[in-house]
Amino acid sequence: MKPDLFEAPDYYNIDDLLSEEHKLVRDAAREWVKRDVSPIIEEYAQRAEFPKQIIKGLADIGAFGPYIPEEYGGAGLDQISYGLIMQEIERGDSGVRSTASVQSSLVMYPIWKYGNEAQRQKYLPKLASGEWMGSFGLTEPDHGSNPGGMTTHFKDMGDHYLLNGAKLWISNSPFCDVAVVWAKNEEGRIHGLVVERDMEGFSTPETHNKWSLRASATGELIFQDVKVPKENLLPNKSGLGAPLGCLDSARYGIAWGAIGAAMDCYDTALRYAKERIQFGKPIAGFQLQQKKLAEMITEITKAQLLAFRLGQLKNENRATSAQISMAKRNNVEMAITIAREARQILGGMGITGEYSIMRHMMNLESVITYEGTHDIHLLITGLDITGLNAFK
Ligand code: TGC
Ligand code: FAD
């Protein structure tokens, strides 16, 4: 792979809106990605393997629980810092950002928000340091966009719960130490349970042959009469709103992360277009290529402003779920469109692993589907502005 020459575009001087702390956090993540992710990520993606050696680096840059209070091992940062960390990590690879998103927003967040103090003390510091890795089980083979229909369930056996069912498409599952699993009780009410790797009857087979997010490990969570101690039920919130609340936090991170992937594609294509000579001049001098590049920087700038404003609203606890859906949907589509255009600017070179663009493009096919598909987020906006539910 070519050396990482990335220079971040900032067409509207958005850096002026950031605090010194935001810039320090962002720059530390940027440096780490350049040093520890860029040199190895193509090889791991080609081999379809998650690079486990980067777990400690992710913890060191505050990517595990950026906004979780320091007393639980988190970084105690604000929502804009969280977004900037996700942006920088996804600039390197969406699969690496996935690992961080799941750990922070889908495992640490529910334990912090819905767990009791003993659960917070037991799990959060180890998850923040990367000593334990987590996964989040909501999707099932027959229930993806419609998680409320889940069939995974647990029975109260007096001194423990008995858990049965299966989850599919679970990031980090093959190597997770703990899984936050959403399942129905005997009354059909959804609860979160923390399942630990060594519980009998719990297995996590890996999903192979993916063309996307190849550097992220994806798999199943299978529960066959798993005895879950009663103290592992998250007591402070139940119902579908509990897992959906975690998704709000992860979707917000993705709205920033997708900007990172888009920035990398744009920056690579711009540099290539200025250097590549055809018909006696750089291809950047042709109007058709300029149209592509000019539209890319326009869309990146709009996405940056959307994410920044959403971050302000999140810091004030005023961001609605529908606003988060709009940003996730817009920014991921923006990124995948830029990846496709950027790949064309590189001609044949664009399909090789010499450059990051094709890997980003393939990764974004998962990002546009997980955490709520592109269509689902459009319907969430539609419901919000009309008051009419077009899901069912
Ligand atoms: P609905 O009746 O609308 O809502 C049920 C209850 O939930 C509340 N609610 C929310 N609460 C918090 N945050 C949100 N975003 C919420 N959205 C809804 C709602 O108020 C209601 O509460 P209550 O008290 O009245 O019961 O539910 P529905 O069954 O009609 O479904 C709505 C729909 C389709 C929007 C929702 O289910 C949905 O978002 N589907 C998409 C599923 C999804 O996003 N799955 C993601 C799985 S995790 C993942 O992909 C991780 S990838 C990670 C990585 O690698 O980065
Ligand atoms: P479906 O729900 O079957 O949707 C198929 C198509 O139908 C989509 O285009 C959808 O938009 C459309 N559709 C569905 N309902 C409607 C409707 N009402 N109106 C109009 N169109 C509709 N899940 C987890 O729980 N944890 C994870 O860690 C996790 N990681 C993932 C990692 C990867 C790489 C991938 C690919 C997925 C992951 N997921 C995870 C699952 C992901 O959230 C689901 O794939 C996603 O929610 C869509 O569900 P589905 O694949 O079953 O598609």
Side-chain angles (χ1 to χ4, degrees):
M1 193 172 157
K2 296 268 183 213
D4 184 351
L5 303 171
F6 177 68
E7 285 174 42
D10 183 15
Y11 202 72
Y12 261 42
N13 302 337
I14 291 168
D15 259 27
D16 295 353
L17 303 175
L18 302 179
S19 68
E20 283 311 307
E21 183 177 63
H22 292 148
K23 285 187 255 191
L24 278 173
V25 166
R26 192 262 324 267
D27 293 347
R30 187 169 289 172
E31 276 311 302
W32 176 76
V33 167
K34 230 175 210 191
R35 195 185 63 235
D36 286 4
V37 178
S38 298
I40 57 132
I41 196 66
E42 177 64 26
E43 190 189 327
Y44 277 83
Q46 293 282 359
R47 288 212 306 259
E49 188 182 330
F50 172 68
K52 284 199 184 143
Q53 71 273 25
I54 66 172
I55 286 176
K56 182 171 181 315
L58 280 166
D60 290 346
I61 61 163
F64 295 156
Y67 53 83
I68 301 286
E70 286 169 289
E71 61 180 302
Y72 299 118
L77 296 167
D78 77 346
Q79 291 291 323
I80 291 176
S81 294
Y82 162 44
L84 288 164
I85 293 172
M86 296 300 117
Q87 171 188 285
E88 294 306 316
I89 299 175
E90 192 147 359
R91 207 279 297 173
D93 189 79
S94 306
V96 178
R97 199 268 307 133
S98 260
T99 294
S101 291
V102 170
Q103 184 87 343
S104 297
S105 290
L106 300 182
V107 179
M108 296 178 73
Y109 177 87
I111 292 172
W112 174 45
K113 281 283 174 189
Y114 315 146
N116 58 31
E117 194 51 30
Q119 291 167 336
R120 290 186 199 120
Q121 297 288 352
K122 177 175 177 186
Y123 296 109
L124 293 179
K126 286 197 164 74
L127 290 162
S129 68
E131 185 182 340
W132 283 353
M133 294 301 293
S135 68
F136 174 89
L138 180 64
T139 306
E140 299 185 351
D142 294 330
H143 301 96
S145 297
N146 174 26
M150 71 175 68
T151 59
T152 298
H153 61 280
F154 62 96
K155 264 189 178 168
D156 189 335
M157 305 301 280
D159 62 342
H160 64 271
Y161 297 119
L162 199 65
L163 178 65
N164 278 287
K167 302 286 177 180
L168 185 66
W169 294 120
I170 307 304
S171 302
N172 300 355
S173 101
F175 59 80
C176 69
D177 302 286
V178 295
V180 170
V181 177
W182 300 95
K184 285 180 177 166
N185 67 9
E186 285 146 285
E187 286 78 50
R189 181 93 184 150
I190 294 171
H191 288 267
L193 299 156
V194 185
V195 177
E196 299 181 14
R197 163 71 58 192
D198 57 6
M199 289 179 182
E200 217 179 311
F202 175 41
S203 59
T204 60
E206 184 157 0
T207 301
H208 296 288
N209 298 331
K210 291 182 300 171
W211 284 110
S212 175
L213 286 195
R214 287 172 63 80
S216 159
T218 314
E220 297 169 58
L221 302 174
I222 298 177
F223 316 102
Q224 286 175 316
D225 287 336
V226 180
K227 286 184 182 173
V228 181
K230 284 202 153 167
E231 66 260 26
N232 284 29
L233 182 129
L234 300 176
N236 295 334
K237 192 164 166 101
S238 63
L240 186 58
L244 291 178
C246 308
L247 296 185
D248 274 358
S249 177
R251 290 166 176 174
Y252 166 76
I254 291 173
W256 281 89
I259 298 172
M263 291 199 305
D264 197 48
C265 293
Y266 164 77
D267 178 62
T268 304
L270 178 62
R271 189 172 305 108
Y272 187 90
K274 289 203 271 193
E275 287 169 2
R276 175 72 175 165
I277 310 289
Q278 288 295 290
F279 299 96
K281 69 176 192 185
I283 59 170
F286 295 117
Q287 286 184 359
L288 283 174
Q289 305 313 315
Q290 287 193 1
K291 176 172 186 289
K292 288 190 174 76
L293 291 163
E295 285 177 354
M296 284 181 201
I297 191 62
T298 307
E299 292 308 314
I300 288 172
T301 303
K302 283 153 66 179
Q304 286 171 324
L305 291 168
L306 193 62
F308 183 81
R309 176 62 186 145
L310 188 62
Q312 289 179 321
L313 292 171
K314 275 220 102 211
N315 277 343
E316 295 163 11
N317 279 323
R318 288 200 295 140
T320 67
S321 298
Q323 286 171 332
I324 293 169
S325 279
M326 179 186 282
K328 190 267 183 186
R329 182 175 186 274
N330 181 79
N331 290 10
V332 176
E333 185 179 43
M334 172 281 298
I336 205 166
T337 304
I338 285 177
R340 289 169 183 155
E341 293 287 303
R343 199 218 59 71
Q344 290 192 56
I345 291 179
L346 267 69
M349 286 310 291
I351 71 151
T352 72
E354 287 290 294
Y355 295 90
S356 55
I357 296 176
M358 187 87 177
R359 179 166 43 79
H360 283 305
M361 189 174 116
M362 306 284 269
N363 283 341
L364 288 162
E365 291 292 342
S366 288
V367 182
I368 204 164
T369 288
Y370 67 33
E371 297 278 2
T373 67
H374 196 59
D375 293 337
I376 289 295
H377 288 297
L378 178 127
L379 294 176
I380 290 172
T381 306
L383 170 60
D384 195 49
I385 59 176
T386 66
L388 300 170
N389 187 332
F391 288 109
K392 14 192 174 186

PDB file of all heavy atoms in Angstrom, residues 258 327-340 368 374:
ATOM      1  N   ALA A 258     -18.314   8.420   8.895  1.00  0.00           N
ATOM      2  CA  ALA A 258     -18.430   8.391   7.431  1.00  0.00           C
ATOM      3  C   ALA A 258     -17.690   9.583   6.801  1.00  0.00           C
ATOM      4  O   ALA A 258     -17.145   9.466   5.691  1.00  0.00           O
ATOM      5  CB  ALA A 258     -19.906   8.415   7.040  1.00  0.00           C
ATOM      6  N   ALA A 327     -28.669  12.553   9.993  1.00  0.00           N
ATOM      7  CA  ALA A 327     -27.219  12.738   9.821  1.00  0.00           C
ATOM      8  C   ALA A 327     -26.556  11.419   9.425  1.00  0.00           C
ATOM      9  O   ALA A 327     -25.666  11.393   8.564  1.00  0.00           O
ATOM     10  CB  ALA A 327     -26.609  13.281  11.108  1.00  0.00           C
ATOM     11  N   LYS A 328     -26.975  10.311  10.047  1.00  0.00           N
ATOM     12  CA  LYS A 328     -26.386   9.009   9.684  1.00  0.00           C
ATOM     13  C   LYS A 328     -26.665   8.731   8.207  1.00  0.00           C
ATOM     14  O   LYS A 328     -25.775   8.392   7.438  1.00  0.00           O
ATOM     15  CB  LYS A 328     -26.973   7.914  10.581  1.00  0.00           C
ATOM     16  CG  LYS A 328     -26.270   6.544  10.487  1.00  0.00           C
ATOM     17  CD  LYS A 328     -26.865   5.574   9.493  1.00  0.00           C
ATOM     18  CE  LYS A 328     -26.193   4.219   9.496  1.00  0.00           C
ATOM     19  NZ  LYS A 328     -26.667   3.306   8.439  1.00  0.00           N
ATOM     20  N   ARG A 329     -27.910   8.921   7.813  1.00  0.00           N
ATOM     21  CA  ARG A 329     -28.307   8.597   6.446  1.00  0.00           C
ATOM     22  C   ARG A 329     -27.588   9.490   5.430  1.00  0.00           C
ATOM     23  O   ARG A 329     -27.011   9.019   4.454  1.00  0.00           O
ATOM     24  CB  ARG A 329     -29.817   8.754   6.290  1.00  0.00           C
ATOM     25  CG  ARG A 329     -30.336   8.392   4.920  1.00  0.00           C
ATOM     26  CD  ARG A 329     -31.851   8.463   4.889  1.00  0.00           C
ATOM     27  NE  ARG A 329     -32.329   7.983   3.614  1.00  0.00           N
ATOM     28  CZ  ARG A 329     -32.438   8.740   2.538  1.00  0.00           C
ATOM     29  NH1 ARG A 329     -32.089  10.013   2.575  1.00  0.00           N
ATOM     30  NH2 ARG A 329     -32.877   8.224   1.399  1.00  0.00           N
ATOM     31  N   ASN A 330     -27.606  10.783   5.691  1.00  0.00           N
ATOM     32  CA  ASN A 330     -26.998  11.711   4.743  1.00  0.00           C
ATOM     33  C   ASN A 330     -25.493  11.482   4.609  1.00  0.00           C
ATOM     34  O   ASN A 330     -24.949  11.407   3.501  1.00  0.00           O
ATOM     35  CB  ASN A 330     -27.238  13.162   5.199  1.00  0.00           C
ATOM     36  CG  ASN A 330     -26.641  14.153   4.225  1.00  0.00           C
ATOM     37  OD1 ASN A 330     -27.229  14.428   3.186  1.00  0.00           O
ATOM     38  ND2 ASN A 330     -25.453  14.674   4.529  1.00  0.00           N
ATOM     39  N   ASN A 331     -24.830  11.349   5.760  1.00  0.00           N
ATOM     40  CA  ASN A 331     -23.366  11.305   5.711  1.00  0.00           C
ATOM     41  C   ASN A 331     -22.845   9.983   5.156  1.00  0.00           C
ATOM     42  O   ASN A 331     -21.811   9.955   4.479  1.00  0.00           O
ATOM     43  CB  ASN A 331     -22.779  11.619   7.091  1.00  0.00           C
ATOM     44  CG  ASN A 331     -22.980  13.087   7.460  1.00  0.00           C
ATOM     45  OD1 ASN A 331     -23.712  13.813   6.773  1.00  0.00           O
ATOM     46  ND2 ASN A 331     -22.368  13.534   8.533  1.00  0.00           N
ATOM     47  N   VAL A 332     -23.554   8.901   5.402  1.00  0.00           N
ATOM     48  CA  VAL A 332     -23.080   7.626   4.835  1.00  0.00           C
ATOM     49  C   VAL A 332     -23.314   7.619   3.325  1.00  0.00           C
ATOM     50  O   VAL A 332     -22.446   7.191   2.553  1.00  0.00           O
ATOM     51  CB  VAL A 332     -23.761   6.421   5.521  1.00  0.00           C
ATOM     52  CG1 VAL A 332     -23.335   5.123   4.852  1.00  0.00           C
ATOM     53  CG2 VAL A 332     -23.423   6.382   7.007  1.00  0.00           C
ATOM     54  N   GLU A 333     -24.440   8.130   2.894  1.00  0.00           N
ATOM     55  CA  GLU A 333     -24.665   8.176   1.443  1.00  0.00           C
ATOM     56  C   GLU A 333     -23.656   9.107   0.760  1.00  0.00           C
ATOM     57  O   GLU A 333     -23.112   8.797  -0.301  1.00  0.00           O
ATOM     58  CB  GLU A 333     -26.080   8.643   1.105  1.00  0.00           C
ATOM     59  CG  GLU A 333     -26.316   8.553  -0.404  1.00  0.00           C
ATOM     60  CD  GLU A 333     -27.709   8.984  -0.825  1.00  0.00           C
ATOM     61  OE1 GLU A 333     -28.199   9.999  -0.311  1.00  0.00           O
ATOM     62  OE2 GLU A 333     -28.276   8.299  -1.688  1.00  0.00           O
ATOM     63  N   MET A 334     -23.387  10.224   1.423  1.00  0.00           N
ATOM     64  CA  MET A 334     -22.368  11.140   0.918  1.00  0.00           C
ATOM     65  C   MET A 334     -21.033  10.402   0.742  1.00  0.00           C
ATOM     66  O   MET A 334     -20.375  10.483  -0.287  1.00  0.00           O
ATOM     67  CB  MET A 334     -22.248  12.302   1.926  1.00  0.00           C
ATOM     68  CG  MET A 334     -21.151  13.302   1.747  1.00  0.00           C
ATOM     69  SD  MET A 334     -19.509  12.826   2.307  1.00  0.00           S
ATOM     70  CE  MET A 334     -19.661  12.555   4.062  1.00  0.00           C
ATOM     71  N   ALA A 335     -20.655   9.626   1.758  1.00  0.00           N
ATOM     72  CA  ALA A 335     -19.349   8.952   1.726  1.00  0.00           C
ATOM     73  C   ALA A 335     -19.299   7.878   0.645  1.00  0.00           C
ATOM     74  O   ALA A 335     -18.305   7.752  -0.084  1.00  0.00           O
ATOM     75  CB  ALA A 335     -19.051   8.340   3.092  1.00  0.00           C
ATOM     76  N   ILE A 336     -20.371   7.117   0.501  1.00  0.00           N
ATOM     77  CA  ILE A 336     -20.335   6.020  -0.473  1.00  0.00           C
ATOM     78  C   ILE A 336     -20.346   6.596  -1.897  1.00  0.00           C
ATOM     79  O   ILE A 336     -19.678   6.076  -2.800  1.00  0.00           O
ATOM     80  CB  ILE A 336     -21.492   5.019  -0.215  1.00  0.00           C
ATOM     81  CG1 ILE A 336     -21.138   3.646  -0.748  1.00  0.00           C
ATOM     82  CG2 ILE A 336     -22.807   5.458  -0.779  1.00  0.00           C
ATOM     83  CD1 ILE A 336     -22.073   2.539  -0.247  1.00  0.00           C
ATOM     84  N   THR A 337     -21.037   7.705  -2.101  1.00  0.00           N
ATOM     85  CA  THR A 337     -21.047   8.337  -3.424  1.00  0.00           C
ATOM     86  C   THR A 337     -19.646   8.870  -3.749  1.00  0.00           C
ATOM     87  O   THR A 337     -19.136   8.697  -4.863  1.00  0.00           O
ATOM     88  CB  THR A 337     -22.073   9.500  -3.445  1.00  0.00           C
ATOM     89  OG1 THR A 337     -23.336   8.973  -3.061  1.00  0.00           O
ATOM     90  CG2 THR A 337     -22.178  10.124  -4.824  1.00  0.00           C
ATOM     91  N   ILE A 338     -19.011   9.475  -2.762  1.00  0.00           N
ATOM     92  CA  ILE A 338     -17.653   9.997  -2.981  1.00  0.00           C
ATOM     93  C   ILE A 338     -16.673   8.857  -3.242  1.00  0.00           C
ATOM     94  O   ILE A 338     -15.810   8.947  -4.114  1.00  0.00           O
ATOM     95  CB  ILE A 338     -17.226  10.873  -1.774  1.00  0.00           C
ATOM     96  CG1 ILE A 338     -17.966  12.215  -1.862  1.00  0.00           C
ATOM     97  CG2 ILE A 338     -15.715  11.081  -1.727  1.00  0.00           C
ATOM     98  CD1 ILE A 338     -17.713  13.172  -0.720  1.00  0.00           C
ATOM     99  N   ALA A 339     -16.822   7.756  -2.502  1.00  0.00           N
ATOM    100  CA  ALA A 339     -15.919   6.623  -2.722  1.00  0.00           C
ATOM    101  C   ALA A 339     -16.050   6.114  -4.163  1.00  0.00           C
ATOM    102  O   ALA A 339     -15.047   5.832  -4.835  1.00  0.00           O
ATOM    103  CB  ALA A 339     -16.231   5.506  -1.728  1.00  0.00           C
ATOM    104  N   ARG A 340     -17.280   6.029  -4.653  1.00  0.00           N
ATOM    105  CA  ARG A 340     -17.481   5.524  -6.029  1.00  0.00           C
ATOM    106  C   ARG A 340     -16.881   6.479  -7.054  1.00  0.00           C
ATOM    107  O   ARG A 340     -16.244   6.064  -8.020  1.00  0.00           O
ATOM    108  CB  ARG A 340     -18.978   5.305  -6.289  1.00  0.00           C
ATOM    109  CG  ARG A 340     -19.546   4.109  -5.529  1.00  0.00           C
ATOM    110  CD  ARG A 340     -21.065   4.081  -5.586  1.00  0.00           C
ATOM    111  NE  ARG A 340     -21.588   2.961  -4.796  1.00  0.00           N
ATOM    112  CZ  ARG A 340     -22.812   2.938  -4.266  1.00  0.00           C
ATOM    113  NH1 ARG A 340     -23.644   3.946  -4.433  1.00  0.00           N
ATOM    114  NH2 ARG A 340     -23.216   1.898  -3.568  1.00  0.00           N
ATOM    115  N   ILE A 368     -23.920   1.522   5.297  1.00  0.00           N
ATOM    116  CA  ILE A 368     -25.211   2.042   4.830  1.00  0.00           C
ATOM    117  C   ILE A 368     -26.363   1.092   5.206  1.00  0.00           C
ATOM    118  O   ILE A 368     -27.532   1.472   5.142  1.00  0.00           O
ATOM    119  CB  ILE A 368     -25.169   2.330   3.306  1.00  0.00           C
ATOM    120  CG1 ILE A 368     -26.218   3.392   2.927  1.00  0.00           C
ATOM    121  CG2 ILE A 368     -25.304   1.067   2.466  1.00  0.00           C
ATOM    122  CD1 ILE A 368     -26.016   4.023   1.561  1.00  0.00           C
ATOM    123  N   HIS A 374     -30.475   2.516   5.075  1.00  0.00           N
ATOM    124  CA  HIS A 374     -30.726   3.818   4.437  1.00  0.00           C
ATOM    125  C   HIS A 374     -32.232   4.095   4.344  1.00  0.00           C
ATOM    126  O   HIS A 374     -32.702   5.198   4.640  1.00  0.00           O
ATOM    127  CB  HIS A 374     -30.106   3.739   3.038  1.00  0.00           C
ATOM    128  CG  HIS A 374     -29.912   5.050   2.376  1.00  0.00           C
ATOM    129  ND1 HIS A 374     -29.141   6.053   2.924  1.00  0.00           N
ATOM    130  CD2 HIS A 374     -30.389   5.528   1.207  1.00  0.00           C
ATOM    131  CE1 HIS A 374     -29.145   7.098   2.107  1.00  0.00           C
ATOM    132  NE2 HIS A 374     -29.898   6.813   1.061  1.00  0.00           N
TER     133      HIS A 374
END
